[in-house]
Amino acid sequence: MIMRLRKPAVLAFAAAMTVPAMASASDDISALLDGGFAYNDTHTGADQHADQYSMRGSALFSFDNPGLGLQLDGANDWYADPTNGTSHLWSGGADAFWRDGKGTIGLSASYFRVDQPAFPFFRIARAIESYGFFGEYYASSDLTVQIKGGGTTGATGAASLYGGGGLTYYDSPDLAFHTEMNFNAYTSGRDWTSIDSNVEYLPFGSFPLSLYAGYDWTNFSAAGYASTFFAGVKLRFGADRTLVGYHRSGPVEWTGNATPGANLKF
């Protein structure tokens, strides 16, 4: 009788050990989908209004925490200008970073292209490459400090540089207030300075859908400014159940890619 039970017992023990191993492996993969809308009011001589519809996604594989993370990013933005028609702003990128309980530090690279003119930002179809570094410091359970910097090549000029800094404050684990400032110096164009503030809320911890809304003000040196209101939803896939947990363990949203302002991301 003992010999007959031994094989099933061994199989049951092996199965019991496999379940947590499979769960641990699934915890290494997380993802983010972001769908948004922006209304852009640009003042560069004649006033111009446009709508922007965005779909962005990121997939992250984490080797460990603390440990290395590798991430892929992609996006398509429909820029609808009543005067000039619709432009598609495509982008794709990759990030490699180290993350632990104190923060995240890493490198980013991306490719950005406009399929046709998107006035007033791109008067011809253009391609831009972005290379940069980024860092997040988890100063406390309710505060994250962020920095980034790098350069772009392509239509913006070979020596174009950018940098930025931000703060995220968590009023609760599921309510975040974020503000950032970015500066972009383009050798073949004007300098851009932007200030962006937004709020994000995760209503139900059992369902990983968050809502966000914000405002971006961008100044084009000696040319005018753009005023942008935006809102959207984010759907996350991962092991956490709080907004601050998703931000600090899931796909990185503060990457080293250029963020010139007016809801544009390279």
Side-chain angles (χ1 to χ4, degrees), residues 168-255:
T168 301
Y169 171 73
Y170 298 92
D171 188 62
S172 76
D174 293 323
L175 179 61
F177 295 90
H178 173 77
T179 187
E180 65 182 80
M181 182 174 182
N182 295 282
F183 175 75
N184 295 257
Y186 298 122
T187 56
S188 62
R190 302 183 184 277
D191 296 343
W192 294 31
T193 303
S194 68
I195 299 174
D196 178 304
S197 294
N198 63 76
V199 58
E200 183 177 2
Y201 178 54
L202 181 70
F204 309 106
S206 58
F207 188 69
L209 184 73
S210 64
L211 312 174
Y212 68 89
Y215 172 76
D216 180 288
W217 182 84
T218 299
N219 178 70
F220 312 108
S221 59
Y225 67 94
S227 182
T228 306
F229 296 89
F230 58 90
V233 296
K234 295 180 182 179
L235 180 63
R236 293 178 168 85
F237 304 89
D240 220 291
R241 290 296 179 269
T242 64
L243 184 60
V244 62
Y246 285 123
H247 284 175
R248 295 182 176 184
S249 66
V252 177
E253 298 179 57
W254 176 270
T255 68

Side-chain angles (χ1 to χ4, degrees), residues 127-138:
I128 298 169
E129 298 80 37
S130 168
Y131 308 93
F133 72 91
F134 65 95
E136 290 189 312
Y137 172 55
Y138 309 145

Side-chain angles (χ1 to χ4, degrees), residues 53-131:
Y53 304 89
S54 303
M55 180 59 69
R56 301 185 174 100
S58 298
L60 167 65
F61 184 83
S62 302
F63 289 91
D64 209 344
N65 191 353
L68 181 66
L70 298 177
Q71 181 171 312
L72 296 177
D73 308 304
N76 181 22
D77 294 75
W78 297 265
Y79 190 81
D81 178 350
T83 303
N84 302 289
T86 301
S87 304
H88 288 274
L89 291 68
W90 303 91
S91 66
D95 315 283
F97 57 87
W98 176 271
R99 172 183 273 164
D100 60 23
K102 286 295 185 181
T104 303
I105 185 169
L107 301 173
S108 299
S110 69
Y111 176 81
F112 174 92
R113 182 169 183 84
V114 183
D115 63 349
Q116 60 182 333
F119 296 98
F121 308 116
F122 306 98
R123 299 190 177 278
I124 60 174
R126 296 188 172 187
I128 298 169
E129 298 80 37
S130 168
Y131 308 93

